[in-house]
Amino acid sequence: MNGLGVPFDAVALCKLAEGFHREVRLSARVMAVPYLCPAGFWTIGYGRLCAKDHPAVTLEQGESFLAEDLVQAVGAALRHCPVLLAEPEQRLAAVASFVFNLGPGRLQSSTFRRRVNERDWQGARRELMRWVHGGGRVLPGLVTRRRAEGALLNLENWREAWQ
């Protein structure tokens, strides 16, 4: 875990899944500008929701936003799935990634949450695969992300699942 209580795997997975969408400015600084994600939401940096007219951000600002958002995601994961306090941090990383991507409300009302709290890791992994839609269609990036989160739940190498 990093100094903020966020599992390293959660940071790495979210960075890979979200990417830092950028535009090179004349000043030669790499800046991210708002973009529409595949689900149709305005986003900036590493997947932070924003307004369409949000000012560009630097890589450092994007990483700071990600850190803040993941602290919130970890808090929500632990609030809704208290069993994660006694589990390996990979499981917390998986649920934090899910919360970062979909929000705490989706976790709170999901069968995925119930399976996690029952410590039914195979069932939770199956439930993750129900959350692969955006904008009314299956998004390949979400399929890959959910496979990686499922690997973390089962204490497997998530990077292999990313392939």
Side-chain angles (χ1 to χ4, degrees):
M1 291 220 205
N2 67 17
L4 300 173
V6 176
F8 290 116
D9 283 328
V11 175
L13 175 54
C14 288
K15 277 186 162 184
L16 185 60
E18 300 292 341
F20 184 77
H21 294 269
R22 58 189 172 259
E23 170 183 299
V24 177
R25 299 284 178 138
L26 293 176
S27 66
R29 292 191 66 181
V30 176
M31 305 283 284
V33 296
Y35 65 95
L36 276 174
C37 76
F41 296 100
W42 284 101
T43 311
I44 197 161
Y46 289 107
R48 178 174 259 201
L49 296 179
C50 69
K52 180 180 180 179
D53 60 351
H54 192 286
V57 298
T58 64
L59 179 61
E60 294 78 21
Q61 289 169 313
E63 289 183 350
S64 178
F65 287 163
L66 177 63
E68 291 171 13
D69 293 343
L70 280 172
V71 166
Q72 296 297 315
V74 166
L78 292 172
R79 190 169 47 258
H80 296 303
C81 301
V83 300
L84 294 171
L85 286 168
E87 292 293 330
E89 75 176 51
Q90 293 96 320
R91 291 183 171 144
L92 175 58
V95 179
S97 173
F98 178 91
V99 171
F100 176 83
N101 182 231
L102 294 169
R106 297 275 172 84
L107 175 64
Q108 183 178 9
S109 63
S110 69
T111 304
F112 171 62
R113 172 191 178 202
R114 187 169 351 133
R115 297 290 177 256
V116 169
N117 282 324
E118 293 167 347
R119 290 185 165 97
D120 175 2
W121 306 117
Q122 290 301 320
R125 189 176 198 166
R126 283 190 302 276
E127 286 299 318
L128 278 174
M129 297 312 294
R130 296 179 63 211
W131 297 89
V132 296
H133 299 86
R137 62 189 193 284
V138 173
L139 299 178
L142 287 180
V143 171
T144 302
R145 183 182 196 141
R146 299 296 174 248
R147 277 197 320 251
E149 291 165 349
L152 281 168
L153 284 176
N154 284 303
L155 309 178
E156 299 166 359
N157 183 339
W158 69 267
R159 291 180 188 276
E160 289 178 12
W162 191 264
Q163 307 303 328

